[in-house]
Amino acid sequence: KDVAFKTNWDEENKINVIELDFAVYGVRKTVWTVIQSSFLQAVSTTRMIIKSVVQLITGTVPANSISGPVGIISVIGDAAGAGIRSLLNILSYISIDLGVMNLLPIPALDGGRLLTLFVEAVTKKKLSRKWEIAINAAGFVLLIGIMIFATYNDISRMIRK
């Protein structure tokens, strides 16, 4: 067994103590293992981003934790100062984040367009051009509002530092 898991009751503190023991094995780097590892890391990052969006929507995470362009530039600068590996990691994270956000079902984003196409396919009716423009304009206004809010958060954080 590579993983050992057991629990013990600590009578003095009246708590259950969990002991976890595991082993780490090296993997020989080949083109296939590097591609596989990169894919798994991208999937893990995507899951984390989706979970974060859900937490923002449900209110588990406060809305003022959102960062905009100013915060992103700050994080990129910090990562660049830590070395090329950190910089590449944060750039890959931002790239995946933008891809996930673009697929959200918000009008004016690709996810909103996909939702519109899905609704049209189900109803077998094409949305009128007038409604499509109005919906996308509303989505655009929403996105600009989010960007202003995120930039405000970034500047507030910078002032508090």
Side-chain angles (χ1 to χ4, degrees), residues 28 31 34 55 63 85 87-88 90 98 102 113 132:
R28 194 167 154 251
V31 171
V34 170
Q55 289 175 336
R85 189 175 191 156
L87 178 62
L88 292 175
I90 199 68
L98 287 173
N102 192 41
R113 181 68 184 136
E132 191 173 343

Side-chain angles (χ1 to χ4, degrees), residues 67-83:
S67 278
V70 176
I72 291 170
I73 295 298
S74 175
V75 169
I76 290 172
D78 292 345

Side-chain angles (χ1 to χ4, degrees), residues 39-114:
F39 175 78
L40 292 173
Q41 183 65 39
V43 169
S44 176
T45 300
T46 302
R47 289 179 62 212
M48 181 181 62
I49 291 167
I50 292 169
K51 187 175 181 178
S52 297
V53 169
V54 169
Q55 289 175 336
L56 276 169
I57 291 169
T58 59
T60 308
V61 172
N64 65 359
S65 65
I66 296 173
S67 278
V70 176
I72 291 170
I73 295 298
S74 175
V75 169
I76 290 172
D78 292 345
I84 188 71
R85 189 175 191 156
S86 294
L87 178 62
L88 292 175
N89 279 334
I90 199 68
L91 291 177
S92 67
Y93 177 82
I94 290 169
S95 178
I96 293 169
D97 187 48
L98 287 173
V100 170
M101 295 301 169
N102 192 41
L103 289 175
L104 290 175
I106 298 173
L109 295 178
D110 290 339
R113 181 68 184 136
L114 288 173

